[in-house]
């Protein structure tokens, strides 16, 4: 591997560490949810509120929307000066919480930081990747996203005897990792593609005295609307399911399946280990080589079958294991991986991050809304009803993704941009 490629991969991994922290914070909350419920005597409404405003819901939605705008305006590296400092404040508040308002505030601040980092991470990774390795580089971001939950959940199992102190320790380790990652991220270079585009726009403004509204173009140009339909279709609907799983799955295992907290966290950790493995062996290794429509369709089908088993076959040991194997494996090359890849490929450089911030915000708002009602839905209407709703979301994401999947393998971002917007755009 050439030195430049090695350097680019090092920067990719450094940026991808934000994904580790972001997913880790979501699952750290999930792994310790029952402990916080017991410690603070939380009812269904408060449990739903925590999920709604956290890194899994409204908090990250607001952060992503703001972060996308800032990253397009000031650069991909800009967000890394401040984002993890805010993140550290949030997880520190959670670590030290002794009442519900303090815990809620910690979740909100962490959520804002998580959301703000998402558009920067996926955009930077896409722009710095070689054309024939873009899926692989994006895959490393997905890999880090999957490792975060594994560590958080395994720590939840190991520290279970400590009760609420164990949950505090898990958030404390996220604080330490965030501090180290923040130091590393100060050393990465700015995206060269963004710098070239900024220079181009500055020259156009100086020569012709024009400055187009990239925000208006984002919602009026046909190529952008096509990309947004695809990406909202696959990510928003898939993420309604994945978001519920990311925060509530151990809670569901305990509440509906009768598992202990340790058993639930261990089972979910196994699911994420499978996701780590399939991210590497399928998405990283094959994403630049095989038909992406086929790969996406296979993953979507496996996830639908997984939820059919979970919803209608009960939560016995065999059913739970089948669910975990199917979903865990498919998630490594599922909608999130392809969303991250296509969101980086299909938009013009001048609003690539802004588009991702908007799309991620829409998805997280949707998760925030459903998180408000998931505990009550399960209690009042039963898990089969909730599962049927999840299957419906997955079907929509599968149909849209298979029908609209673009063929962009091996093309540079500039080539894709010219195909979609024209050579003079």
């Amino acid at each position: 591997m050439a030195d430049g490629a090695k350097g680019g991969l090092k920067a990719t991994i450094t940026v991808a560490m934000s994904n580790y922290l972001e997913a880790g914070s979501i699952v750290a909350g999930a792994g310790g949810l029952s402990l916080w419920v017991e410690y603070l005597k939380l009812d269904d409404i408060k449990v739903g509120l925590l999920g709604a405003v956290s890194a899994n819901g409204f908090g990250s939605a607001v952060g992503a929307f703001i972060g996308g705008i800032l990253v397009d305006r000031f650069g991909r590296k800009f967000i890394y000066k401040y984002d993890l400092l805010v993140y550290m404040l949030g997880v520190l508040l959670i670590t030290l919480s002794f009442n519900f308002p303090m815990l809620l505030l910690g979740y909100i601040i962490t959520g804002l930081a998580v959301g703000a980092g998402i558009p920067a991470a996926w955009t930077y990774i896409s722009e710095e990747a070689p054309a024939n390795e873009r899926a692989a580089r994006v895959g490393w971001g997905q890999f880090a996203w999957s490792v975060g939950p594994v560590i958080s959940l395994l720590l939840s199992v190991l520290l279970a005897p400590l009760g609420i102190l164990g949950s505090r320790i898990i958030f404390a380790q996220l604080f330490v990792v965030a501090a180290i990652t923040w130091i590393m991220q100060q050393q990465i270079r700015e995206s060269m593609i963004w710098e070239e585009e900024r220079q181009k726009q500055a020259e156009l403004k100086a020569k012709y005295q024009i400055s187009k509204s990239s925000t208006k173009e984002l919602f009026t140009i046909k190529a952008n609307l096509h990309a947004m339909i695809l990406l909202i279709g696959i990510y928003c609907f898939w993420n309604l399911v994945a978001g519920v799983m990311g925060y509530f799955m151990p809670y569901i295992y305990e509440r509906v399946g009768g598992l202990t907290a340790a058993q639930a966290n261990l089972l979910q950790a196994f699911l994420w280990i499978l996701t780590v493995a399939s991210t590497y062996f399928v998405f990283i290794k094959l994403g630049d080589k095989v038909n992406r429509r086929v790969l996406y369709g296979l993953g979507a089908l496996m996830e639908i079958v997984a939820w059919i088993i979970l919803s209608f076959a009960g939560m016995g040991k065999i059913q739970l294991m089948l669910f975990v194997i199917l979903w865990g494996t498919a998630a490594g090359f599922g909608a999130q991986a392809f969303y991250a890849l296509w969101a980086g490929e299909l938009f013009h450089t001048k609003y690539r991050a802004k588009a991702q911030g908007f799309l991620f915000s829409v998805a997280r708002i949707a998760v925030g809304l459903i998180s408000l009602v998931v505990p009550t839905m399960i209690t009042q209407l039963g898990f089969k009803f909730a599962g049927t709703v999840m299957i419906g979301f997955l079907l929509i994401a599968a149909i849209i993704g298979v029908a609209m999947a673009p063929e962009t393998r091996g093309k540079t971002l500039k080539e894709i941009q010219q195909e979609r917007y024209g050579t003079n755009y």
Side-chain angles (χ1 to χ4, degrees):
M1 185 181 292
D3 290 342
K6 288 182 180 179
L9 182 57
K10 181 180 178 180
T12 293
I13 294 172
T14 300
V15 169
M17 281 303 297
S18 290
N19 291 350
Y20 167 88
L21 294 164
E22 289 151 5
S25 66
I26 295 172
V27 179
L33 182 58
S34 60
L35 297 172
W36 288 102
V37 169
E38 181 180 354
Y39 173 64
L40 297 176
K41 311 300 180 187
L42 306 180
D43 56 25
D44 282 349
I45 294 176
K46 288 182 178 179
V47 171
L49 185 59
L50 283 175
V53 303
S54 70
N56 209 34
F58 297 137
S60 61
V62 174
F65 185 78
I66 296 172
I69 294 172
L70 293 176
V71 169
D72 273 340
R73 183 170 182 180
F74 298 109
R76 308 334 190 187
K77 186 180 175 180
F78 168 81
I79 205 73
Y80 296 120
K81 292 181 181 179
Y82 312 103
D83 185 54
L84 288 184
L85 297 178
V86 177
Y87 178 93
M88 284 187 279
L89 173 61
V91 295
L92 184 62
L93 280 171
I94 297 171
T95 302
L96 302 176
S97 288
F98 56 84
N99 58 37
F100 179 69
M102 190 174 180
L103 182 67
L104 184 66
L105 181 61
Y107 268 55
I108 292 172
I109 293 173
T110 304
L112 289 169
V114 165
I118 291 293
W122 295 128
T123 299
Y124 186 92
I125 291 171
S126 294
E127 291 180 347
E128 290 293 288
N132 62 344
E133 294 181 21
R134 197 157 46 245
R137 294 290 179 89
V138 169
W140 282 112
Q142 176 73 3
F143 185 91
W145 181 280
S146 303
V147 170
V150 171
I151 301 299
S152 291
L153 287 164
L154 289 178
L155 285 174
S156 294
V157 174
L158 292 172
L159 299 174
L162 299 180
I164 195 65
L165 176 61
S167 183
R168 296 183 191 277
I169 291 173
I170 294 168
F171 279 103
Q173 66 89 21
L174 290 173
F175 178 91
V176 173
V177 175
I180 296 170
T181 303
W182 181 82
I183 293 171
M184 294 171 61
Q185 288 179 348
Q186 304 317 298
Q187 302 169 30
I188 65 174
R189 69 183 185 187
E190 181 56 85
S191 162
M192 291 187 290
I193 289 179
W194 178 81
E195 289 186 325
E196 290 172 4
E197 181 62 27
R198 181 181 64 168
Q199 180 65 29
K200 175 184 175 182
Q201 294 300 319
E203 291 173 357
L204 286 173
K205 185 176 181 180
K207 185 174 182 179
Y208 299 107
Q209 299 298 310
I210 58 171
S211 180
K212 295 182 179 179
S213 170
S214 60
T215 301
K216 181 179 179 181
E217 290 177 354
L218 183 59
F219 297 100
T220 55
I221 293 175
K222 184 178 179 180
N224 292 337
L225 295 176
H226 180 277
M228 284 195 284
I229 291 172
L230 166 65
L231 295 168
I232 288 176
I234 65 169
Y235 190 61
C236 184
F237 286 101
W238 176 87
N239 198 57
L240 283 167
V241 182
V244 167
M245 288 181 62
Y247 190 78
F248 291 109
M249 210 62 210
Y251 179 76
I252 291 171
Y253 289 150
E254 295 171 46
R255 184 83 174 265
V256 182
L259 276 62
T260 66
Q263 288 172 332
N265 287 331
L266 194 58
L267 186 64
Q268 198 69 350
F270 178 54
L271 182 152
W272 280 103
I273 289 171
L274 291 173
T275 301
V276 170
S278 67
T279 298
Y280 180 76
F281 289 107
V282 181
F283 196 77
I284 291 176
K285 292 295 186 180
L286 301 178
D288 293 299
K289 300 175 182 177
V290 305
N291 188 296
R292 291 170 178 172
R293 188 190 304 268
V294 173
L295 206 58
Y296 176 89
L298 176 61
L301 177 62
M302 290 170 65
E303 290 169 343
I304 291 168
V305 173
W307 266 90
I308 290 174
I309 292 172
L310 188 71
S311 302
F312 299 106
M315 287 198 187
K317 292 180 180 179
I318 294 176
Q319 293 92 328
L320 283 174
M321 192 55 62
L322 285 172
F323 170 78
V324 165
I325 291 172
L326 285 168
W327 181 279
T329 303
F333 55 96
Q336 177 159 300
F338 279 102
Y339 163 79
L341 176 63
W342 290 333
E345 290 180 335
L346 301 182
F347 291 102
H348 195 285
T349 301
K350 64 181 176 180
Y351 37 65
R352 183 170 290 124
K354 188 186 285 95
Q356 291 193 52
F358 170 76
L359 293 166
F360 190 83
S361 179
V362 169
R364 286 309 194 204
I365 288 172
V367 172
L369 290 172
I370 200 169
S371 295
L372 288 171
V373 300
V374 164
T376 304
M377 184 192 303
I378 294 172
T379 300
Q380 299 295 327
L381 300 175
F383 184 71
K384 284 186 179 180
F385 177 85
T388 302
V389 173
M390 299 298 114
I391 292 167
F393 292 150
L394 292 174
L395 280 169
I396 294 172
I399 293 169
I400 292 175
V402 171
M404 300 180 64
E407 182 51 74
T408 49
R409 280 181 294 156
K411 299 175 183 177
T412 67
L413 292 182
K414 187 174 183 179
E415 288 171 342
I416 297 170
Q417 189 167 291
Q418 289 177 342
E419 287 179 4
R420 294 179 59 76
Y421 296 92
T423 56
N424 297 321
Y425 186 77

